[in-house]
Amino acid sequence: MDEIRPNSGAQAHGLVPLFPPGLQAIYGECRRLYPDQANPLQVTAIVKYWLGGPDPLDYISMYRNMGCPAQDIQEHWHYVSFGLSDLYGDNRVHEFTGADGPSGFGFELTFRLKREVGETAPPTWPAELMQGLARYVFQSENTFCSGDHVSWHSPLDNSESRIQHMLLTEDPQMHPIQTPFGAVSFLQIVGVCAEELQASQQWNGQGILELMRGIRIAGGPWLITDMRRGETIFEIDPHLQQDRVDQGIETEGSNLSGVSAKCVWDDLSRPPDDEEDSRSICIGSQPRRLSNKDTEQIRETLRKGLEFNSKTALPPISSQKQNHDRAQSRKDSLESESSAAIVPHELVRTRQLESVHLKFNQESGTLLPLCLRGRLLHGRHFTYKSINGDTAITFVSTGVEGAFATEEHPYAAHGPWLQILLTEEFVEQMLGDLHELGSRDETKLPKEYSWPEKKLKISILPDSVFDNPLQ
C-alpha cells in the first residue's frame, strides 16, 4: 500500500546530515530541472522493500512540467522513481560493488503524462505502473535499455484507452548522474498502442519512437503520453507503415532478438518415455534445467533484444555499449566477446535430433514471420524463452557463428535449449506457408503446419494448453 505525501522540505534541500547519498544525487538532478518545486507530491511505499514490503520503489516524485511552447511541447506531469538504483550503499537492497559501475540496476524510471484541462494534481496510477515494472526487474534481474518494449495488454490507467503497451527511451531532460554508489541513467516510459508495439517488434523500438517524436499528438519531441489518444501514428499518417517501417524491415531487419513466450518443443525422433528426453514439459517428472551458462546466454538475448543498432548475441555482454560507429556485419554470432565460443556444459551433452515439433500460443505464433523475415533473412538469430520453465527455442540462420545446430544436423538440443538452423530457401518457403500468422485477425485454434521433408512440425495452440500442461 502506498501513501501520497509531500517531501520534507529539509530533506528535499539535502539539509539532513544522514540523508542517503544515492537519494540525494537523484534529488539533485530533479532540483536542477525543477528549482521551484523543492517539495513535490510523492508516492511512497508505506513498508519499504528492504523491510519486507511488496513495492521495490521507495518513492515516486511527481512534478508539474510546463512544457516548452517554443517547441510546441504541451504541459504535463513528470514522474521520477527512486529505488532501482542504490539509494543507501549499505547493501540493504542492492549489493554495493563500487562507484565505477552501475548503481543498483543502473537506472531509474520516469514517465510523462499529458496534463488534462483543469487538473490540479497529478494522477497516481502511473506510480503503480512504475512499481509493476520495478517488480519485474527485481524478480527477473533483467534490466531495461532504451528502445525496449513492454507488452502490457491492458490500458495503462485501467480505462478503455488504446494505450496498452510501453516503449522505453532516454528521458529528454534528465541527465545521467554519477553517485557515490555508481552511475544512474533515467529511462522514460512511453505509452503506445498495440499497432505501434507490433511495429517496434517487427522493426525496432528506437525507430518507432523517432516517428512518434515527429507527431505532436503521439508524444512529440519529449514523448508525452496522452491516454486519450485515439489514433495510432499509422492512422494519423498512413504513409509511415510502408515508407518507414516496411522499408526499415526490408533494409535493416528487426532488432528484436528474443521474447519471453508460451512455447514447448518435442523430440519426435525419441519415444516420449525416454529418460534422455529433454523436452520442455515432462509429464510426471521434473524437467531438466538449463546450466547457468546457458541461462545467462538466453537472459542476455532477452535483456538486450531491442538495443538499437548493436550486434545481437546470446552470451554475456559487457555493460559498456558497443561502438555504434562500427560497420555492421551481416554475419551474426552466438559467440561471447570475452571468449572464443560457447562451450556447452560438459555434464549436459548436445544431442542431434531427427524430427521436432514446436508448439506456441497465438501471441508467440504471430512473431514467427518476424523471426523469419526480420531476423533469419538478415543472417541473425531469434530466441523464444518459455515463461513456464527453462525451455528455450532458438532459430538460427546459416550466417550465425557459434551455434551447435548445423546444416548437416539442423535440430540440436542442449538440455531443454533447442536450436533450429534454417536455410534461406527454407525460410522463404516457411514465410509463404505461415503468412496468415502475421495478420492481427484471430486464428481458429489449434492450427498446424508441417514440412514432412524437413521433419518439422509447428502447432499454434490455445493458452490453456500451456497454462495447464499436466491436463
Side-chain angles (χ1 to χ4, degrees), residues 178-424:
Q178 184 65 40
T179 80
F181 313 132
V184 180
S185 61
F186 296 91
L187 285 179
Q188 180 177 315
I189 301 164
V190 181
V192 297
C193 303
E195 294 82 354
E196 294 155 355
L197 172 82
Q198 185 181 46
S200 73
Q201 293 174 326
Q202 294 173 340
W203 183 26
N204 64 68
Q206 294 285 15
I208 298 304
L209 289 165
E210 192 58 35
L211 296 182
M212 294 177 67
R213 288 187 181 97
I215 301 175
R216 182 180 186 272
I217 61 176
W222 291 3
L223 294 169
I224 299 164
T225 297
D226 179 1
M227 294 303 298
R228 296 188 180 183
R229 174 162 68 95
E231 293 181 299
T232 72
I233 59 174
F234 306 112
E235 292 166 341
I236 297 170
D237 185 350
H239 297 290
L240 291 179
Q241 180 69 50
Q242 183 174 358
D243 295 349
R244 299 294 299 276
V245 178
D246 292 347
Q247 184 64 29
I249 296 171
E250 182 69 24
T251 58
E252 304 166 18
S254 171
N255 275 27
L256 181 67
S257 61
V259 292
S260 297
K262 293 183 178 181
C263 61
V264 180
W265 66 268
D266 286 325
D267 178 4
L268 297 182
S269 56
R270 188 180 295 277
D273 58 352
D274 193 315
E275 293 183 356
E276 290 296 314
D277 192 4
S278 297
R279 299 175 299 159
S280 55
I281 295 180
C282 302
I283 306 301
S285 65
Q286 184 69 23
R288 183 173 289 126
R289 299 189 64 81
L290 288 168
S291 70
N292 291 336
K293 179 177 290 188
D294 292 340
T295 299
E296 182 62 21
Q297 291 166 4
I298 293 171
R299 176 181 291 172
E300 288 295 344
T301 293
L302 304 184
R303 180 182 301 167
K304 309 295 281 188
L306 279 172
E307 185 175 346
F308 181 60
N309 198 27
S310 67
K311 188 174 91 174
T312 54
L314 281 178
I317 298 173
S318 65
S319 60
Q320 295 181 346
K321 299 289 185 181
Q322 297 185 30
N323 186 350
H324 288 188
D325 298 328
R326 180 175 57 196
Q328 293 293 304
S329 169
R330 177 179 168 82
K331 183 178 290 187
D332 207 2
S333 174
L334 291 175
E335 294 185 355
S336 170
E337 293 189 3
S338 60
S339 62
I342 294 174
V343 180
H345 196 284
E346 62 272 14
L347 298 181
V348 182
R349 64 186 179 89
T350 299
R351 298 187 295 111
Q352 282 79 43
L353 314 179
E354 292 295 324
S355 179
V356 294
H357 183 190
L358 311 181
K359 302 173 186 178
F360 302 95
N361 73 334
Q362 183 159 17
E363 182 180 4
S364 303
T366 60
L367 292 176
L368 283 170
L370 155 69
C371 162
L372 300 173
R373 178 180 295 108
R375 298 294 299 176
L376 269 66
L377 285 183
H378 290 263
R380 300 172 184 169
H381 57 75
F382 190 90
T383 294
Y384 288 94
K385 172 65 176 68
S386 173
I387 63 174
N388 293 328
D390 278 339
T391 298
I393 302 170
T394 297
F395 292 90
V396 299
S397 68
T398 53
V400 174
E401 299 175 347
F404 47 79
T406 65
E407 289 193 58
E408 183 180 1
H409 299 288
Y411 312 131
H414 185 60
W417 182 10
L418 174 69
Q419 284 190 9
I420 298 178
L421 187 145
L422 302 176
T423 63
E424 186 170 336

Side-chain angles (χ1 to χ4, degrees), residues 161-195:
S161 174
R162 292 184 70 179
I163 308 300
Q164 301 188 10
H165 307 280
M166 292 167 272
L167 295 176
L168 290 155
T169 188
E170 297 93 348
D171 188 288
Q173 287 187 294
M174 300 196 72
H175 301 160
I177 58 175
Q178 184 65 40
T179 80
F181 313 132
V184 180
S185 61
F186 296 91
L187 285 179
Q188 180 177 315
I189 301 164
V190 181
V192 297
C193 303
E195 294 82 354

Side-chain angles (χ1 to χ4, degrees), residues 10 26 68 83 88 90 93 100 104 122-123 126 170 177 284 292 316 328 359 390 392 413 434 439-440 469:
I26 300 174
C68 182
Y88 306 99
D90 57 6
V93 178
D100 295 335
E170 297 93 348
I177 58 175
N292 291 336
Q328 293 293 304
K359 302 173 186 178
D390 278 339
L434 300 173
S439 169
R440 295 193 61 82

Side-chain angles (χ1 to χ4, degrees), residues 23 26-27 30 42 57-59 61 80-84 87 108:
L23 199 63
I26 300 174
Y27 274 138
C30 292
Q42 194 174 68
L57 302 177
D58 281 8
Y59 312 102
S61 289
V80 182
S81 78
F82 296 78
L84 285 161
L87 305 180
E108 293 290 351

Side-chain angles (χ1 to χ4, degrees), residues 35-190:
D36 58 341
Q37 297 183 58
N39 197 28
L41 282 176
Q42 194 174 68
V43 175
T44 179
I46 295 177
V47 180
K48 298 295 187 283
Y49 194 69
W50 37 275
L51 293 176
D55 298 323
L57 302 177
D58 281 8
Y59 312 102
I60 297 156
S61 289
M62 303 177 287
Y63 296 91
R64 183 170 178 172
N65 191 302
M66 302 307 293
C68 182
Q71 299 182 46
D72 197 24
I73 295 171
Q74 56 199 324
E75 189 175 343
H76 59 279
W77 304 108
H78 193 194
Y79 301 75
V80 182
S81 78
F82 296 78
L84 285 161
S85 64
D86 191 350
L87 305 180
Y88 306 99
D90 57 6
N91 297 313
R92 72 177 72 178
V93 178
H94 300 280
E95 181 182 358
F96 176 57
T97 57
D100 295 335
S103 170
F105 289 106
F107 69 95
E108 293 290 351
L109 293 171
T110 73
F111 182 61
R112 295 175 185 268
L113 178 67
K114 178 185 175 183
R115 177 179 172 269
E116 300 297 338
V117 175
E119 211 168 41
T120 57
T124 58
W125 62 260
E128 181 53 39
L129 182 74
M130 296 167 86
Q131 290 283 17
L133 292 176
R135 281 191 286 271
Y136 163 77
V137 172
F138 272 80
Q139 291 167 9
S140 68
E141 297 185 351
N142 290 335
T143 59
F144 291 127
C145 296
S146 179
D148 279 354
H149 76 269
V150 178
S151 303
W152 200 250
H153 299 289
S154 178
L156 304 188
D157 61 352
N158 295 315
S159 67
E160 299 299 318
S161 174
R162 292 184 70 179
I163 308 300
Q164 301 188 10
H165 307 280
M166 292 167 272
L167 295 176
L168 290 155
T169 188
E170 297 93 348
D171 188 288
Q173 287 187 294
M174 300 196 72
H175 301 160
I177 58 175
Q178 184 65 40
T179 80
F181 313 132
V184 180
S185 61
F186 296 91
L187 285 179
Q188 180 177 315
I189 301 164
V190 181

